[in-house]
């Protein structure tokens, strides 16, 4: 039996719950698009306005893009705890066209971008002229956790605050839908000194659950997922493998991006430098790269 057939024979897939560990990597803000007046920290996941002054109309996008083919994505922004009780800036997504205006003094709400403002309004325009679209959303400020779901194929954004969605991202209409874009970039803005926030892109960072049918922003689809296995032998195979639970594992140089939820036994010779295990009863690994 070929190794591929062996893999297929031991899988139990379908409606199982995904492993309770991060699959993917944390997203960072774009250090090459950090306007003067912002300080980046936490591995470029946090942006705070440290010297921008009042009405500072610049912002920091992510380095990576959400593409129309990526499916619906969820992320959070933890508002800077030292900021104002009510932020004057916008949090949300910028279009590919808006991304290049990070340092021109424009707010991130035009050219197909969508911005949720701290006073409880939502702004978006498909042109270069800004437009307020919705009022009466929950205002936000220091210490609040903002929640976002983007459907990049439809250019639709759902927003929420502190665990409460303004519109249901599973069954409800989007909070706002903009013009299509080749890519979207989550962004952080702090229009007053001390304002800003931390981008959260992985389940281990989130304060609230990822809605059903949505993936975390930092999720990267593995080449193969195993939700339960009683025996597994791998010799120099997969580079992106997600395992929910297994009882025995022998790996000879494979799986450098292995995620394991529950492990009873692993013997690994030279693999797994990026292994994440939620629980392991026994683990032996030698010859790490």
């Amino acid at each position: 039996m070929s190794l591929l057939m062996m893999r297929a024979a031991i899988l139990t897939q379908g409606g199982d719950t995904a492993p309770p560990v991060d699959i993917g990597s944390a997203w960072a803000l774009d250090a090459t698009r950090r306007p003067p007046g912002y300080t980046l920290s936490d591995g470029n996941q946090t942006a705070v306005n440290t010297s921008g002054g009042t009405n500072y109309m610049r912002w920091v996008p992510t380095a990576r893009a959400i593409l129309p083919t990526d499916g619906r994505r969820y992320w959070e922004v933890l508002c800077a705890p030292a900021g104002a009780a009510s932020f004057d800036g916008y949090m949300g997504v910028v279009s590919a066209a808006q991304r290049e205006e990070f340092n021109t003094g424009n707010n991130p709400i035009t050219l197909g971008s969508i911005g949720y403002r701290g006073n409880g309004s939502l702004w978006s325009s498909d042109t270069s002229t800004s437009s307020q679209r919705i009022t009466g959303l929950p205002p936000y400020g220091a210490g609040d956790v903002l929640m976002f779901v983007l459907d990049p194929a439809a250019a639709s954004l759902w927003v929420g605050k502190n665990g409460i969605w303004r519109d249901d991202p599973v069954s409800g209409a989007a909070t706002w839908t903009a013009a299509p874009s080749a890519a979207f970039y989550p962004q952080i803005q702090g229009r007053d000194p001390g304002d800003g926030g931390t981008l959260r892109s992985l389940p281990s960072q989130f304060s609230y659950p990822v809605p059903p049918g949505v993936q975390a922003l930092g999720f990267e689809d593995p080449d193969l997922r195993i939700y339960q296995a009683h025996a597994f032998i791998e010799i120099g195979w997969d580079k992106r493998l997600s395992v929910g639970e297994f009882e025995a594992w022998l790996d000879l140089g494979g799986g450098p991006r292995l995620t394991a939820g529950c492990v009873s036994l692993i013997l690994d010779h030279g693999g797994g430098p990026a292994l994440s295990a939620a629980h392991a009863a026994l683990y032996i690994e030698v010859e790490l790269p």
Side-chain angles (χ1 to χ4, degrees):
M1 178 183 293
S2 71
L3 182 58
L4 179 60
M5 293 176 64
M6 179 181 292
R7 282 181 169 232
I10 63 175
L11 300 185
T12 301
Q13 302 195 55
D16 297 32
T17 302
V21 291
D22 292 335
I23 302 176
S25 57
W27 278 32
L29 300 170
D30 192 343
T32 68
R33 288 172 171 78
R34 177 187 60 84
Y38 280 98
T39 297
L40 299 184
S41 60
D42 300 327
N44 294 336
Q45 295 175 79
T46 298
V48 175
N49 176 0
T50 52
S51 61
T54 303
N55 201 32
Y56 195 57
M57 298 170 64
R58 291 171 172 83
W59 36 272
V60 189
T62 57
R64 297 173 60 180
I66 307 174
L67 303 178
T69 55
D70 285 342
R72 300 203 300 168
R73 296 291 173 136
Y74 172 84
W75 70 97
E76 296 177 356
V77 173
L78 172 62
C79 296
S86 178
F87 281 10
D88 190 30
Y90 301 85
M91 303 288 187
V93 292
V94 294
S95 65
Q98 180 91 60
R99 176 174 178 253
E100 301 311 314
E101 299 195 1
F102 69 96
N103 197 30
T104 62
N106 293 331
N107 281 309
I109 53 176
T110 58
L111 303 177
S113 304
I114 308 174
Y116 175 17
R117 192 170 182 175
N119 66 359
S121 60
L122 185 140
W123 294 63
S124 180
S125 173
D126 298 335
T127 69
S128 58
T129 302
S130 61
S131 178
Q132 179 176 275
R133 302 294 189 171
I134 302 175
T135 59
L137 276 67
Y140 64 83
D144 285 326
V145 176
L146 306 182
M147 305 131 62
F148 298 95
V149 164
L150 177 73
D151 182 346
S156 296
L157 185 71
W158 288 258
V159 303
K161 170 192 167 184
N162 295 340
I164 301 175
W165 289 100
R166 196 270 187 180
D167 304 280
D168 185 352
V170 177
S171 60
T175 306
W176 189 256
T177 297
S181 174
F184 289 96
Y185 300 80
Q187 60 81 21
I188 303 291
Q189 183 181 40
R191 283 183 55 168
D192 293 319
D195 290 356
T198 299
L199 179 73
R200 295 172 166 180
S201 54
L202 293 173
S204 62
Q205 301 173 316
F206 295 155
S207 294
Y208 304 103
V210 179
V214 181
Q215 297 287 4
L217 179 64
F219 173 82
E220 297 174 14
D221 198 10
D223 294 330
L224 178 65
R225 301 175 190 168
I226 298 175
Y227 291 147
Q228 185 176 20
H230 296 290
F232 197 101
I233 299 175
E234 175 166 333
I235 303 175
W237 186 272
D238 210 345
K239 294 187 176 181
R240 291 188 180 182
L241 176 62
S242 172
V243 180
E245 180 179 359
F246 56 80
E247 296 179 4
W249 179 286
L250 176 63
D251 188 315
L252 302 177
R257 297 192 66 178
L258 172 67
T259 297
C262 181
V263 183
S264 296
L265 172 66
I266 285 186
L267 299 175
D268 189 315
H269 296 269
L275 171 66
S276 173
H279 174 75
L282 176 63
Y283 189 98
I284 300 174
E285 181 167 343
V286 296
E287 296 180 4
L288 287 174

